[in-house]
Amino acid sequence: MRTIFSKSPYPPTRHHTFTESLIEENIEAAELSITKWDSLYGDDHVSYCNIASLFSENNRDEAKQYLSSIKGLQKAMRYLASLESTSDKLVRAQTLMQTAMKRLEREFYQILKSNRNYLDPESVSNHSSSRLSVSRSSFSDSEEGGSENDSIPEVERGSSAVIADLRAIAEAMISAGYAKECFKIYRTIRKSIVDEALYNLGVERNLGFQQIQKMEWEILEVKIKHWLNAVKGAVKTVFYGERLLCDQVFAISSSIRESCFTDVSKEGALALFGFPENVAKCKKTPEKMFRILDLYEAVSDLWPEIESIFSFESTSTVRSTAVNSLIRLSDAVRTMLTDFEMAIQKHSSKTTVPGGGIHPLTRYVMNYISFLADYSGVLSDIIADWPLQISSPLPESYFGSPDKEESISSPISVRLAWLILVMLCKLDGKAEMYKDVALSYLFLANNLQYVVNKVRQSNLKLLLGDNWVTKHEQKVRKYAANYERMGWSKVFAALPENPTAEIPVDQVIEHFRNFNSAFEEAYKKQTSWVVTDPKLRDEIKLSLARRIGPIYKEFFDKYGGVQLMKEMWAETLVRYTPDDLGNYCSDLFFGSGSSGSISSSSSQGGGYSR
């Protein structure tokens, strides 16, 4: 550290134009200005903030003259040192320089301490670097750039003026070999301001891995939310503002600029970016996935600023901590995706869903995957170099033909589609648990329709594409058709192939008896079955109505009228009018679980009404 601050950045040179009178003139001018302001101190122990400021608005000309006299004194000292290092004039000049530097130390401290509203990280970071440029010194003539200054807001003008003063003092002190003193004051004040700003944002400084590991997830999740709320402001306001301020104040020396910023910001930045890395190292469970993705997204989005702000070699550990956080978080996401897939495959519940409704596994997996689709950009980065490893080729019927434009190709799309396929294969096994084959097909239709709806209503549709949706809608219709075929086969078989053909009475009787029995059996059994999607429910009802209603109506119109009513058994034989069938069918698939006693009306002799 001493090599940075112990010497002036300017090498001594011999000024042949100097004369004895000019040297004396420079020293006397400096002495006049320095001793005048030194007399305002009182004793040496006066508080830095209890001095009349040389850099106030009223003393602007004198401040300019003060700094100018210090430069003249420096030139004289260099010249004298090159001729005779022990001369009385050199000792006198050195004493004056020490007095001047002590004055500038106090001024530097006072400006930093009393202008927090202009030097607050948020205030500084909100100003563009061009506005903060102090190429036009605050000591310049008031006429220069007057109209342009008028267009700059007061706060920005104030910031520019304060920064210009700090820069002028820093340049004078560093040039005179007092960089260490200047650095110490700046570091002490600015570090407390940065630390306070981070604290106000909610950044916890002493939260290590051991503490995080022992936390209940509910508590840790709250801390993650606080961190997510804080990190953007910390990077784009606090650290960015401090970097701008350091760059401006210590523009004269790149090494001091780096050292100041590092000492002020490094500790807080390491605490900030170490948090997500520690979270990522904790136990991985599915419910943590989305907070882990939030953390990854936050660091990833801010990486360009992190890399730019902490570009110094001395802040490389900040950059590496942020990078390590991204690596750890991405590893955690991959682990959780693998565990999620394994959990689906190992789901071992033997309980069937009443009525063939939506299985809890379907709801959980599709909700989870649809949320994952909201993070498709982040996930694409994480799994870009993590190809899907499976033991057999993906089914073409599932993914679509590879030569079609809608085929799934991106890694994230393939990954999510694969997770859905794993779940659907698991549902196939759960469908086999139903003793009634028709109900197993209805179960598959319900659950696949739920999957399709989730895809349509989320970002999954953008990832999987229209072709995927179309293919699975076709599968839903196929399951529904199989349900109709298996669940209503006896009803279909009970109807004559030609309902208007002339047939013997005994065959008419047989058809009505078989139909009554088959319909009542199907209805009683299926009143507790459910179709959750309203559109699919209506489609199945309409399909049944079209397959049963017209044939039964023709047969009823021909044989269910006057002729048979004359017989003794007519009122128990012809139990349903065509309208009755429509009414009964309209009650299906709501999972009402009623007794299904549809023959109660016939037992009372009123076979034509419900």
Side-chain angles (χ1 to χ4, degrees), residues 158-274:
S159 292
S160 296
V162 170
I163 293 171
D165 290 346
L166 291 172
R167 176 174 175 172
I169 295 173
E171 288 181 352
M173 293 184 70
I174 294 169
S175 298
Y178 283 76
K180 182 177 181 180
E181 289 76 5
C182 183
F183 167 84
K184 184 178 179 181
I185 293 171
Y186 185 92
R187 179 194 180 279
T188 300
I189 295 178
R190 292 306 302 176
K191 189 174 189 307
S192 68
I193 291 174
V194 168
D195 290 348
E196 180 184 338
L198 293 175
Y199 175 82
N200 290 336
L201 284 172
V203 178
E204 296 190 47
R205 303 293 292 273
N206 300 313
L207 196 60
F209 173 66
Q210 296 298 330
Q211 295 96 316
I212 291 174
Q213 189 180 33
K214 295 176 183 178
M215 285 182 186
E216 296 292 333
W217 170 241
E218 291 76 13
I219 297 174
L220 180 55
E221 187 175 24
V222 171
K223 292 190 178 294
I224 292 174
K225 290 179 180 178
H226 289 165
W227 186 92
L228 291 168
N229 290 332
V231 65
K232 186 175 180 180
V235 172
K236 294 196 171 187
T237 299
V238 179
F239 295 128
Y240 175 67
E242 192 57 41
R243 175 62 191 268
L244 282 178
L245 190 58
C246 282
D247 287 350
Q248 293 296 324
V249 172
F250 299 104
I252 190 175
S253 171
S254 60
S255 59
I256 297 177
R257 184 165 67 242
E258 176 177 349
S259 296
C260 277
F261 177 73
T262 301
D263 275 31
V264 168
S265 303
K266 183 176 178 179
E267 184 182 337
L270 289 175
L272 180 70
F273 298 121

Side-chain angles (χ1 to χ4, degrees), residues 384-523:
D385 57 348
W386 187 47
L388 181 65
Q389 299 292 334
I390 55 176
S391 57
S392 60
L394 297 175
E396 181 178 317
S397 61
Y398 184 78
F399 281 95
S401 177
D403 60 350
K404 291 186 177 180
E405 183 180 350
E406 300 90 351
S407 64
I408 297 173
S409 58
S410 69
I412 179 61
S413 299
V414 170
R415 179 74 54 174
L416 297 184
W418 170 252
L419 290 174
I420 294 176
L421 178 58
V422 171
M423 181 200 65
L424 292 177
C425 291
K426 196 70 179 178
L427 290 177
D428 284 342
K430 295 186 180 299
E432 295 175 0
M433 298 178 187
Y434 289 98
K435 295 179 180 180
D436 194 303
V437 178
L439 183 56
S440 69
Y441 279 120
L442 194 65
F443 169 79
L444 290 173
N446 274 323
N447 283 268
L448 186 53
Q449 184 64 54
Y450 183 88
V451 171
V452 170
N453 289 344
K454 271 292 182 181
V455 171
R456 280 191 174 279
Q457 296 163 7
S458 67
N459 286 330
L460 283 169
K461 188 173 187 296
L462 300 175
L463 296 172
L464 302 182
D466 292 332
N467 191 51
W468 188 98
V469 173
T470 300
K471 285 180 175 296
H472 285 76
E473 284 180 331
Q474 291 172 350
K475 283 190 175 183
V476 172
R477 288 193 289 271
K478 182 178 178 180
Y479 287 143
N482 287 339
Y483 151 74
E484 288 182 25
R485 179 172 56 83
M486 301 301 296
W488 295 85
S489 56
K490 291 182 180 180
V491 177
F492 299 148
L495 294 170
E497 293 184 9
N498 186 351
T500 58
E502 295 290 341
I503 56 175
V505 172
D506 59 339
Q507 290 187 22
V508 172
I509 294 172
E510 186 68 18
H511 277 302
F512 272 113
R513 283 176 175 169
N514 290 342
F515 180 83
N516 292 339
S517 175
F519 183 79
E520 288 170 9
E521 179 185 354
Y523 180 85

